[in-house]
Amino acid sequence: MTNDELSQMRPVGNKSKNWFYRHTVGAVKGAGAGNTILYTVVFVLFIVYALVLLIPFGWILLNSFKDPVDFGTDKWNISFSAGFSNYVEAFNYKVRGTSVFGMYLNSLLVVGGGVAVTLISCTLASYTMAKYKFRGRGIIYNIVIISMMVPIVGTLPAQYRLMQNLGLVDNILGVWFLYSGGFGFNFLFLYAYFKSISWTYAEAAQIDGASDFRIFIEIMVPMAKPALTAVGVLTFMGLWSDYQTPYFYLNSMPTIALGLKDMSDQLAYDPNYPLVLATAITATVPIIIVFCLFQKTIMNNMTVGGLKG
């Protein structure tokens, strides 16, 4: 084989492995003449959408380094008049007798347990509905769809009365109980994923004498790992930002989302918006880290089926 042939086989840079390149520039180059304009328009629209999301975040980050006077004078100038003092004060600020560091620990405990019970309940419910035929399965599926159309506010009074009667108000077990619902978007996503996994794997295991539970634990769950990871990450991001549930059911154990809401209420009559913005930035750091670590799983593996090729 000549050197020219070897050079043609050698990938140029990391373009063949770069996800961003393949889905932007590479997609436009590979499209036909008629699709090039469409790809370009869609790409520009996504750039504009990304800027719409990033500009507010940049504004928050910029103003978190200002003192209240500088913030009130000009909210768009670049200034570091307060330095990192707002972040230091944010970690020392207490809400309901709990510091920001304590609220971080509360959030990790509440959200960690919430993600665990959500994955367990949704996995069991979606797998059972997707792989087993039983009487009333269609009715249950329709009930799930209809229940997703009911606003949360419409069910809140009955839900709160139920939690009171069970003695689960201001109890972390009660919050985990609320997060353990096996239906909703996560159920529909996992239901579709388990549907796409071929049942021939289970049939082969049944011939070897494997039980239904063993098939579920040792075959189906590992094959659904990409979907379960994506659901876990998205659930973590959603629960981390949830302040409504802790507000009603966990008053003595404020999470970072609830603490940020209370902080903004406490500072309403003595405005110190840079302090609130600095606290908001610290609250979003875990979400950003988790998304950066698992973005490939979320973007690439959410539609992977049980059979490849």
Side-chain angles (χ1 to χ4, degrees):
M1 186 175 292
T2 64
N3 292 331
D4 293 337
E5 293 175 338
L6 289 174
S7 62
Q8 292 179 0
M9 294 178 61
R10 189 180 298 113
V12 180
N14 292 325
K15 292 182 179 180
S16 61
K17 299 181 181 180
N18 190 294
W19 180 91
F20 180 80
Y21 178 86
R22 287 188 288 107
H23 289 79
T24 54
V25 179
V28 174
K29 289 183 177 180
N35 294 329
T36 302
I37 298 177
L38 177 62
Y39 272 106
T40 303
V41 172
V42 172
F43 181 71
V44 171
L45 290 177
F46 273 105
I47 289 294
V48 173
Y49 178 70
L51 291 176
V52 170
L53 297 178
L54 290 175
I55 289 176
F57 181 81
W59 182 86
I60 294 174
L61 181 63
L62 175 67
N63 286 283
S64 67
F65 294 100
K66 297 179 181 179
D67 56 45
V69 176
D70 194 10
F71 176 82
T73 302
D74 189 351
K75 298 177 177 61
W76 288 98
N77 71 320
I78 299 176
S79 173
F80 297 92
S81 54
F84 290 94
S85 61
N86 288 326
Y87 289 89
V88 175
E89 186 178 353
F91 275 95
N92 293 326
Y93 195 91
K94 290 188 176 183
V95 174
R96 306 187 187 191
T98 305
S99 64
V100 170
F101 182 75
M103 287 184 282
Y104 259 97
L105 295 179
N106 292 341
S107 294
L108 290 175
L109 184 59
V110 172
V111 175
V115 171
V117 297
T118 298
L119 284 177
I120 293 173
S121 60
C122 289
T123 303
L124 291 174
S126 59
Y127 174 75
T128 303
M129 292 284 292
K131 292 303 184 183
Y132 293 96
K133 295 181 179 180
F134 53 90
R135 184 175 299 177
R137 185 179 67 163
I139 297 175
I140 296 175
Y141 187 84
N142 291 329
I143 291 175
V144 172
I145 301 298
I146 295 173
S147 64
M148 294 178 65
M149 303 177 185
V150 179
I152 297 177
V153 179
T155 61
L156 187 58
Q159 183 185 85
Y160 189 81
R161 177 62 64 88
L162 174 63
M163 296 293 287
Q164 273 189 327
N165 293 337
L166 294 176
L168 294 177
V169 175
D170 203 13
N171 188 333
I172 191 173
L173 295 178
V175 176
W176 289 344
F177 173 75
L178 292 175
Y179 289 152
S180 65
F183 299 110
F185 168 78
N186 293 336
F187 165 81
L188 295 178
F189 175 72
L190 292 176
Y191 174 84
Y193 197 93
F194 279 120
K195 270 283 190 182
S196 68
I197 299 178
S198 175
W199 190 245
T200 55
Y201 300 110
E203 292 176 345
Q206 287 174 344
I207 293 175
D208 293 334
S211 63
D212 290 337
F213 183 75
R214 186 175 180 183
I215 292 172
F216 171 69
I217 294 296
E218 297 186 6
I219 298 178
M220 294 300 173
V221 170
M223 295 186 68
K225 185 179 178 180
L228 295 175
T229 303
V231 168
V233 172
L234 295 176
T235 301
F236 176 90
M237 296 170 65
L239 297 186
W240 186 269
S241 304
D242 177 28
Y243 77 89
Q244 179 176 289
T245 304
Y247 179 79
F248 285 105
Y249 302 107
L250 207 59
N251 289 321
S252 63
M253 192 176 174
T255 60
I256 188 66
L258 177 58
L260 185 61
K261 189 264 181 191
D262 282 357
M263 178 184 290
S264 62
D265 292 342
Q266 292 177 8
L267 297 175
Y269 301 100
D270 184 19
N272 188 354
Y273 293 109
L275 175 60
V276 178
L277 297 179
T279 309
I281 291 294
T282 61
T284 58
V285 168
I287 296 178
I288 296 174
I289 293 175
V290 169
F291 180 78
C292 290
L293 291 176
F294 294 96
Q295 62 173 329
K296 185 176 181 181
T297 300
I298 297 175
M299 301 301 294
N300 294 340
N301 295 334
M302 289 183 69
T303 57
V304 176
L307 292 173
K308 295 183 180 179

